Amino acid sequence: MLSLVKFKLDSLFARTLLSFTILVMIIIVTTTLIFSNLYSKTLYGQLSREQVKGLETLSENVDNLFKEIDQIYLNLEINTDIDFFLSSRTNDDLTNNKARIQIRNIRQINPYIHSIFVYNSVIGQSIVEGEPGFDAAGFLKHDESFRRSVNDTRAIYLTRLVKTDASPSFLTDKTANYVISMEYTNRNVSGEQQTVIINLDDDLLVRDFLSKSGDQLLFADENGTLIAHSDVTRIGSSVKNTPSFGAVLRSAADSGDVIDDEASHQSLVTFVKNRTTGWYILSSTPYRSLVAPIQDKRNGLLAVCFSILIFCLIATFLISKKLYHPVQRLTELFKRSEFHAGGSPVSDIALISQVYSETLDHMRSLEDRNRDSLQLMRENWLRRSLAAAETDEPIAASVTEEYKLRIDFERLRLCVFKIDGYARLDSPNMTLYESVLFKSVTELLGQEFRYEALRMPKGEVALFINESEGPEDGFDHLRSKLAGVKDSIAATLGITVSIGISDPIDGWGECPEAYEQANQMLQQRFVLGYNQLIYRQYVEEHLSRSLDLPADIEEKLVAAIKRNHPEGFAEALNRMTDVLGGYVYADAIRAFFQLLLACITQMNQVISDENRRMGMQFGKLNLIFTEMETLGQARDWLRQRFEDYRSSLESLSRLKDNKLYRKIEEAMHYIQENFADSSLSVESLAETAGYTPNYFSKLFKEMTGINSGEYIRKVRMAKAKELLAREEYKVSDVAEMCGYVNSSHFYSAFKRDVGMTPAAYRESTFPEKGTS
């Protein structure tokens, strides 16, 4: 009888000890894995972002270096001795030596310059200054040692150095066998070539840009050729067929990261595309070095946990053996546990099971605390789906399941909420309204629909939402709900929002197109006004397409400008608003732009002083059209331009009454009559006017808005265009007729002012006949 009781006690003790062991092990292992995985993802993403940011800084430094080289080229181009050598038609040793001295001096400006090569194809002469090894003969033959990576007027490519007989020194004993060549080539109308090549020292580039990090860094062009590498012996080889470079090219992004599994050594490869050269800057970090700190911490934590577990088991075993009733003591211990919510279990084992269940509930609460980070990852993926050119549907389906997205593609639409007048808010209100809008949309929609909402930039909230399937199902019910949300936001927050709704979406691949369509619907606010719910059927019912604009609007605007009549101009603007209010956005903005051009043209015709005429750069004009959200704003903007025009007229009227202005008018007339005089300058104009050069320059700028030298150049360029349009004059004759003694200076000035060479301008004027 005693043996049977002892066996039951021992059996119960064994079960109790086993249950306790399993409970503690589950808690320790589960908690460790959850937090170590979250830490791993966070650290991996942070390291990737930091490396991409470092590469972007490195790319900016490379851009600055090439800008400095471009400036050095400009110094070479404007240097008189070098210009004489490039434009020379005879081989003259004195000219060559002067040019060589100037090239040598300019080369010392930047320590990265390996050598400078200048070539004149007319006399077949070249000058090479700098460290030995540049293959001038190879350039003249254009052999395979010159690897072009950018096809432009300025070519940047990799050039192999040739061996020389120069004795090794700290200057010439280089590790890299290549230099980076920046070639600047100009050709005149006769096909004569003037070339300047500035070679960069790859050793210094690697030392200063690529050798400061423990990671493997490299520059590669789009063909995979290694332009620079932290291992200089690999410069000139190719990474075209490596999986990581192929993944970079397939990503079609300017920056990001990929995983390289080559040779069973997984690495994190981050990349940035350089704006100046189009090269890819890549950094490769072994994955093992990234996860090593995580593994060490996790292994250490597991070791400590298992040590604590073993200690607890040993202590429990010893204490239980010494106690008369170990299960009872263990039960008392569980009753005092923070996971015990109370109650009266029917047995001690039931109590242990209850505490175990409550422990699992506590672990679930820990997972709930991480929902914010899960929501952030879900929103980031949804944003990428709106911008992705292509979406892998199987991967998208797995992500949908992983993130538990509350949408499907059965009657799914994309809606975009946009804060009206967002561009006119100050920064604090922008941030406040963005947060309040997102929270208001999600709270007002409630649980009636399946949807996913995410914040977008510039006061937008994107909404993936399914139409309801009840007795009032369909688009009408969804539209009614969205209208109620819109009205509630206006009533409670004091701001209005407009909503653009796309057509139904059938798959993830249609999301970018649907997002664009919803934004196109929002553009219709230009004619419909603020606080609108806009979708395709609504636009078709309320707006129409019209390619014709009533002529009387433009006529009234032009007549009001001619007569300087504000009331007539305001009346014509109101007529414009009434008419364009029935057009779709594209036709309305086109018609408004047509009226704008007509008004600006007429204003400029009335204003006699060309330096005070109305004008606007394209970038600023595009920004204005972007910020104009309604026809009323466009009307007010055009009315303000009319007020500026009237102010200019008044200013000119007062200015012409000034006797000093008549002196400047005489000087301007003198410039227009004597522009061909090469000696025409500020000094000669000041002497003619009877003023000192400094006073004359200041007076000319105050009266005209530009410097006298700039005005001379504008007159000469305008006359040059007229002469180039006539076939009887050669380009060199046009330069001389416009006051330029040196044709090269004329070429540079014309290209800087017009944007193309004189020969190219003539070709555009007579495309079928070519240049003279």
Side-chain angles (χ1 to χ4, degrees):
M1 186 66 178
L2 291 175
S3 299
L4 181 59
V5 173
K6 185 175 183 299
F7 174 76
K8 289 183 177 180
L9 288 175
D10 290 341
S11 176
L12 185 57
F13 166 72
R15 289 197 301 268
T16 304
L17 183 61
L18 181 60
S19 300
F20 178 75
T21 303
I22 294 174
L23 173 65
V24 175
M25 184 177 294
I26 288 175
I27 294 174
I28 293 174
V29 174
T30 304
T31 306
T32 302
L33 291 178
I34 289 175
F35 285 100
S36 64
N37 287 336
L38 290 176
Y39 179 71
S40 299
K41 290 182 179 179
T42 303
L43 181 60
Y44 182 84
Q46 180 180 356
L47 290 173
S48 174
R49 290 190 297 271
E50 290 177 353
Q51 291 192 7
V52 170
K53 185 176 181 180
L55 293 183
E56 289 175 347
T57 303
L58 177 59
S59 178
E60 291 176 359
N61 293 337
V62 173
D63 288 333
N64 292 334
L65 175 60
F66 283 120
K67 288 178 182 178
E68 292 177 8
I69 300 303
D70 288 338
Q71 186 62 43
I72 291 173
Y73 165 70
L74 291 178
N75 292 339
L76 289 167
E77 186 182 37
I78 65 177
N79 187 279
T80 305
D81 293 330
I82 298 174
D83 182 66
F84 282 161
F85 170 76
L86 289 173
S87 59
S88 177
R89 295 184 174 275
T90 58
N91 188 9
D92 179 35
D93 292 339
L94 178 59
T95 300
N96 297 353
N97 289 334
K98 286 184 177 180
R100 185 182 300 276
I101 291 172
Q102 295 299 328
I103 294 172
R104 184 180 304 148
N105 293 336
I106 292 176
R107 174 186 170 270
Q108 297 174 358
I109 295 176
N110 193 301
Y112 289 97
I113 298 180
H114 173 277
S115 56
I116 298 178
F117 169 78
V118 180
Y119 172 63
N120 185 340
S121 67
V122 177
I123 60 176
Q125 289 294 319
S126 62
I127 297 175
V128 181
E129 271 301 320
E131 298 178 19
F134 177 73
D135 186 9
F139 168 75
L140 297 179
K141 294 186 296 182
H142 283 285
D143 63 10
E144 62 182 4
S145 66
F146 291 83
R147 304 185 181 182
R148 293 177 179 268
S149 60
V150 176
N151 296 320
D152 205 341
T153 54
R154 177 191 68 183
I156 306 176
Y157 50 83
L158 194 65
T159 302
R160 180 187 291 275
L161 297 174
V162 296
K163 294 183 178 180
T164 65
D165 296 332
S167 58
S169 67
F170 74 97
L171 291 176
T172 60
D173 188 12
K174 301 297 182 182
T175 306
N177 295 323
Y178 290 88
V179 293
I180 297 175
S181 296
M182 298 183 66
E183 178 183 332
Y184 304 84
T185 298
N186 291 320
R187 296 180 183 272
N188 60 19
V189 293
S190 302
E192 297 165 352
Q193 174 181 344
Q194 296 175 348
T195 300
V196 175
I197 299 178
I198 302 178
N199 299 304
L200 301 182
D201 192 330
D202 239 335
D203 273 321
L204 286 178
L205 193 70
V206 170
R207 185 196 70 188
D208 293 343
F209 286 85
L210 303 185
S211 300
K212 296 182 180 180
S213 171
D215 301 332
Q216 184 186 79
L217 291 173
L218 58 92
F219 294 172
D221 61 18
E222 293 183 350
N223 296 323
T225 302
L226 288 178
I227 306 298
H229 197 287
S230 54
D231 180 5
V232 295
T233 60
R234 294 187 60 184
I235 297 176
S237 60
S238 177
V239 293
K240 180 178 181 180
N241 297 323
T242 60
S244 60
F245 189 73
V248 169
L249 292 180
R250 288 192 300 272
S251 70
D254 291 336
S255 62
D257 61 85
V258 296
I259 298 298
D260 183 9
D261 294 321
E262 187 176 6
S264 300
H265 297 295
Q266 196 175 55
S267 300
L268 170 65
V269 177
T270 53
F271 67 92
V272 168
K273 189 172 184 181
N274 183 258
R275 294 189 298 272
T276 301
T277 62
W279 298 342
Y280 288 94
I281 305 178
L282 293 91
S283 171
S284 178
T285 306
Y287 186 75
R288 183 175 300 175
S289 66
L290 293 176
V291 301
I294 304 173
Q295 293 177 343
D296 293 343
K297 291 183 179 180
R298 182 170 59 189
N299 293 338
L301 181 59
L302 286 174
V304 171
C305 292
F306 278 113
S307 299
I308 295 174
L309 175 62
I310 293 173
F311 175 78
C312 292
L313 291 177
I314 294 174
T316 301
F317 177 78
L318 295 177
I319 294 173
S320 299
K321 280 293 185 182
K322 292 181 179 181
L323 296 175
Y324 177 75
H325 204 313
V327 176
Q328 182 180 5
R329 300 300 299 269
L330 183 61
T331 303
E332 293 297 328
L333 179 64
F334 273 22
K335 286 181 179 179
R336 296 191 299 270
S337 172
E338 62 177 330
F339 301 120
H340 178 49
S344 301
V346 295
S347 65
D348 293 336
I349 300 300
L351 174 63
I352 295 174
S353 176
Q354 177 183 342
V355 174
Y356 174 70
S357 299
E358 292 169 353
T359 304
L360 291 180
D361 292 338
H362 181 70
M363 291 178 61
R364 293 189 187 98
S365 68
L366 293 178
E367 292 180 356
D368 292 339
R369 296 176 185 177
N370 296 316
R371 285 181 180 175
D372 290 341
S373 54
L374 180 63
Q375 176 67 21
L376 186 61
M377 290 186 291
R378 179 164 51 209
E379 289 184 0
N380 288 336
W381 188 86
L382 288 173
R383 287 192 189 94
R384 289 195 299 270
S385 70
L386 295 180
E390 295 183 0
T391 303
D392 191 328
E393 293 293 340
I395 294 178
S398 64
V399 171
T400 303
E401 180 66 24
E402 178 184 357
Y403 290 151
K404 296 180 175 57
L405 297 177
R406 295 171 296 172
I407 57 174
D408 58 47
F409 288 98
E410 183 68 27
R411 306 169 74 179
L412 178 68
R413 292 178 183 265
L414 182 64
C415 305
V416 176
F417 289 73
K418 180 75 172 181
I419 297 176
D420 294 328
Y422 177 81
R424 301 174 183 270
L425 299 175
D426 54 17
S427 297
N429 282 333
M430 284 182 178
T431 305
L432 174 63
Y433 286 154
E434 285 175 353
S435 301
V436 172
L437 174 63
F438 180 80
K439 186 174 182 180
S440 299
V441 170
T442 54
E443 289 182 353
L444 291 171
L445 283 173
Q447 302 298 323
E448 183 178 352
F449 295 88
R450 289 174 297 166
Y451 66 89
E452 288 289 342
L454 66 151
R455 298 176 179 88
M456 300 297 288
K458 298 183 179 179
E460 291 184 6
V461 171
L463 189 69
F464 295 81
I465 187 167
N466 289 99
E467 299 175 6
S468 62
E469 299 177 354
E472 297 180 353
D473 62 339
F475 180 60
D476 290 340
H477 182 55
L478 173 63
R479 185 181 61 190
S480 175
K481 183 65 175 181
L482 293 176
V485 171
K486 174 177 67 67
D487 295 339
S488 298
I489 291 174
T492 57
L493 303 180
I495 60 173
T496 61
V497 297
S498 294
I499 308 174
I501 308 176
S502 74
D503 292 338
I505 307 172
D506 294 328
W508 287 110
E510 297 181 10
C511 288
E513 181 180 353
Y515 180 63
E516 181 179 359
Q517 183 188 18
N519 278 294
Q520 289 175 354
M521 294 297 103
L522 286 174
Q523 287 181 336
Q524 305 302 328
R525 290 185 303 173
F526 186 77
V527 291
L528 295 175
Y530 284 155
N531 197 24
Q532 296 289 332
L533 183 68
I534 312 172
Y535 47 94
R536 182 190 296 274
Q537 183 181 354
Y538 183 85
V539 171
E540 292 175 351
E541 291 176 354
H542 292 80
L543 302 176
S544 62
R545 296 194 59 88
S546 177
L547 301 178
D548 296 323
L549 182 70
D552 66 306
I553 298 178
E554 182 175 339
E555 292 173 356
K556 289 180 179 179
L557 288 171
V558 171
I561 293 171
K562 289 180 179 179
R563 299 194 305 268
N564 193 11
H565 187 215
E567 292 76 10
F569 194 81
E571 181 182 349
L573 286 181
N574 292 332
R575 164 71 172 152
M576 174 200 73
T577 305
D578 294 338
V579 172
L580 297 186
Y583 291 4
V584 295
Y585 169 78
D587 293 340
I589 202 72
R590 176 191 58 79
F592 177 74
F593 188 74
Q594 174 185 340
L595 293 175
L596 169 63
L597 290 179
C599 292
I600 296 296
T601 302
Q602 183 58 45
M603 291 175 187
N604 288 336
Q605 290 177 359
V606 176
I607 298 176
S608 58
D609 189 345
E610 66 175 15
N611 299 312
R612 297 178 181 271
R613 290 179 177 173
M614 309 293 288
M616 189 169 297
Q617 297 179 350
F618 175 78
K620 184 178 180 181
L621 184 63
N622 185 51
L623 178 62
I624 291 172
F625 272 88
T626 301
E627 293 182 351
M628 285 182 187
E629 295 180 345
T630 65
L631 261 174
Q633 295 173 1
R635 177 192 59 204
D636 295 341
W637 181 85
L638 191 53
R639 182 185 292 116
Q640 184 59 47
R641 300 289 74 74
F642 181 72
E643 294 301 325
D644 295 341
Y645 156 75
R646 297 187 67 207
S647 299
S648 296
L649 288 180
E650 294 176 1
S651 176
L652 281 174
S653 177
R654 291 192 301 268
L655 189 62
K656 288 184 178 181
D657 293 336
N658 191 334
K659 64 178 182 179
L660 296 177
Y661 181 76
R662 289 192 290 274
K663 281 283 187 181
I664 298 303
E665 274 191 325
E666 293 174 1
M668 295 169 66
H669 181 72
Y670 183 82
I671 293 171
Q672 294 170 3
E673 293 294 329
N674 299 275
F675 66 90
D677 186 359
S678 60
S679 63
L680 187 63
S681 64
V682 178
E683 289 76 11
S684 63
L685 292 172
E687 183 179 356
T688 303
Y691 299 124
T692 64
N694 289 338
Y695 181 73
F696 177 79
S697 297
K698 179 180 178 182
L699 188 61
F700 195 96
K701 179 67 178 292
E702 288 179 356
M703 295 296 177
T704 64
I706 62 174
N707 296 321
S708 56
E710 184 179 354
Y711 184 76
I712 293 173
R713 181 181 57 79
K714 288 177 63 176
V715 171
R716 284 175 171 172
M717 289 299 105
K719 190 62 179 178
K721 292 179 184 178
E722 294 179 9
L723 295 174
L724 288 171
R726 300 169 62 178
E727 297 179 283
E728 62 265 24
Y729 298 116
K730 295 182 179 179
V731 175
S732 57
D733 296 336
V734 172
E736 184 175 354
M737 295 168 68
C738 292
Y740 288 91
V741 178
N742 191 317
S743 298
S744 298
H745 292 167
F746 172 69
Y747 270 78
S748 300
F750 192 91
K751 185 176 182 181
R752 184 166 54 251
D753 191 76
V754 181
M756 62 178 70
T757 64
Y761 181 82
R762 170 163 283 180
E763 286 180 1
S764 66
T765 307
F766 304 105
E768 72 283 355
K769 295 183 179 181
T771 59
S772 299

